[in-house]
Amino acid sequence: MSEQTADGTEIVTDGEKRGGFPRFRHTPAGPDFGRFVEAMRRLQDLAVSTNVPDDELADIATQAEELADRLTPYEVPEGKSPAGSNIQLPGRGSLLMLPWMVEKFDTEGVRSTGVFRRYHLGGNGAAHGGVLPLLFDDVFGMTVHAGGRPISRTGYLHINYRAITPLNTQLVIEGKVDRVEGRKTFVSARLTDLDGKLLADGEALMIELLPGQP
């Protein structure tokens, strides 16, 4: 059974093991969307790495406000934007996600490659420790989906920091399903450099949603 919200999004209530999670229709990215997202990522990098004189900054802030005003009329509800669902783009086209590319997505697991950029700096040239759980949690969600498991939420997430994670260095993360116990899916992942050096590893419990559960 399902019902529809005012904007036409279908909410599945039973029969598909999706809990009360919306079933959004895929919104394809247009030919310039990837370029737009990369430009926004570059702005994020520059916003945390520049020291602009006040007279310049006032004009730049005005331009940023004008850009936001220009985008505002096109704001849409969750699931209606191409951001986050286009797997062919870094971070699936979402500014929230790390700009990594999915290279493997099947029942055996998920593999993604990419770099931590200046925006992700924690200190002394290393990636901020807080962005690693974001990367792992995203990979765990994809791993559950690739493994054919029902829509799930994170029950717990544990990360072991094994070495300093550098910026602007190509890295690899690989996730897999370890075991399934009823509604529970136990997953794990490893983050390494291209030479195989372990930078971090982690594990999580993903719990299948109950009917109607958000």
Side-chain angles (χ1 to χ4, degrees), residues 123-205:
N124 200 24
H128 194 293
V131 298
L132 269 70
L134 173 62
L135 175 65
F136 274 80
D137 193 48
D138 188 46
V139 167
F140 288 146
M142 288 193 289
T143 299
V144 168
H145 183 53
R149 295 289 294 157
I151 294 290
S152 302
R153 293 284 195 185
T154 306
Y156 69 72
L157 174 67
H158 179 83
I159 305 294
N160 300 303
Y161 297 89
R162 305 296 187 180
I164 299 299
T165 301
L167 299 184
N168 303 313
T169 301
Q170 194 75 8
L171 305 175
V172 180
I173 188 168
E174 295 182 287
K176 63 183 178 68
V177 174
D178 292 327
R179 68 184 190 278
V180 175
E181 297 177 3
R183 293 173 53 216
K184 300 177 180 180
T185 305
F186 295 87
V187 291
S188 62
R190 290 166 48 90
L191 175 68
T192 68
D193 64 18
L194 295 185
D195 293 326
K197 178 182 178 180
L198 181 63
L199 304 175
D201 55 32
E203 60 184 37
L205 166 62

Side-chain angles (χ1 to χ4, degrees), residues 7-191:
D7 64 8
T9 300
E10 186 175 8
I11 309 295
V12 178
T13 54
D14 59 25
E16 294 189 22
K17 295 188 176 181
R18 296 178 63 90
F21 203 89
R23 182 171 60 195
F24 299 119
R25 293 181 178 178
H26 172 61
T27 303
D32 292 314
F33 186 75
R35 176 185 166 199
F36 166 73
V37 174
E38 174 54 30
M40 297 301 290
R41 290 193 192 281
R42 186 181 175 201
L43 287 175
Q44 287 181 318
D45 290 334
L46 290 168
V48 299
S49 63
T50 53
N51 185 10
V52 185
D54 287 341
D55 56 344
E56 284 283 331
L57 189 59
D59 184 53
I60 291 172
T62 297
Q63 292 182 53
E65 291 164 353
E66 290 173 348
L67 177 58
D69 289 342
R70 187 174 177 183
L71 289 170
T72 297
Y74 303 101
E75 188 173 2
V76 293
E78 180 184 0
K80 301 296 183 179
S81 168
S85 64
N86 283 271
I87 200 169
Q88 79 280 7
L89 295 176
R92 303 192 306 284
S94 169
L95 285 174
L96 174 64
M97 296 299 112
L98 281 297
W100 289 40
M101 291 295 300
V102 178
E103 295 187 343
K104 176 185 175 184
F105 185 91
D106 58 35
T107 54
E108 294 183 354
V110 170
R111 172 188 169 99
S112 186
T113 60
V115 303
F116 290 95
R117 299 168 61 142
R118 179 61 183 269
Y119 182 67
H120 308 117
L121 174 67
N124 200 24
H128 194 293
V131 298
L132 269 70
L134 173 62
L135 175 65
F136 274 80
D137 193 48
D138 188 46
V139 167
F140 288 146
M142 288 193 289
T143 299
V144 168
H145 183 53
R149 295 289 294 157
I151 294 290
S152 302
R153 293 284 195 185
T154 306
Y156 69 72
L157 174 67
H158 179 83
I159 305 294
N160 300 303
Y161 297 89
R162 305 296 187 180
I164 299 299
T165 301
L167 299 184
N168 303 313
T169 301
Q170 194 75 8
L171 305 175
V172 180
I173 188 168
E174 295 182 287
K176 63 183 178 68
V177 174
D178 292 327
R179 68 184 190 278
V180 175
E181 297 177 3
R183 293 173 53 216
K184 300 177 180 180
T185 305
F186 295 87
V187 291
S188 62
R190 290 166 48 90
L191 175 68

